[in-house]
Amino acid sequence: MTPVKLLPTALYELFASASVSGRLTLADRYGLMAALLEDSLLDDELCVINRLLYGVRKGRISVVDDISAVL
């Protein structure tokens, strides 16, 4: 199995996209999963993930089954 490697700014872009759209898509969730499984996240990257999860808990970001936020 080929390991998944995220782009260096992927988590920050995901956070910005979810903050603007208010949605966390299926592709976003797979990106988060890949980042967490990578096991080499920096502290600020973990903070971004925590902020996303906080937004979901507070209802500011909805988890949707769409593949992409682009309509």
Side-chain angles (χ1 to χ4, degrees):
M1 179 181 232
T2 305
V4 175
K5 186 70 175 161
L6 293 176
L7 296 173
T9 60
L11 284 175
Y12 305 106
E13 291 174 14
L14 189 150
F15 177 75
S17 172
S19 296
V20 169
S21 70
R23 300 165 49 147
L24 196 63
T25 66
L26 185 60
D28 296 337
R29 295 194 312 266
Y30 276 115
L32 287 172
M33 183 177 63
L36 290 168
L37 291 174
E38 191 174 299
D39 200 30
S40 63
L41 294 173
L42 302 173
D43 287 340
D44 58 337
E45 292 170 328
L46 288 171
C47 183
V48 166
I49 293 172
N50 284 333
R51 289 185 60 152
L52 277 168
L53 294 175
Y54 181 79
V56 170
R57 263 195 339 265
K58 291 297 184 179
R60 296 182 187 126
I61 299 174
S62 300
V63 177
V64 296
D65 288 331
D66 299 340
I67 292 180
S68 169
V70 177
L71 299 177

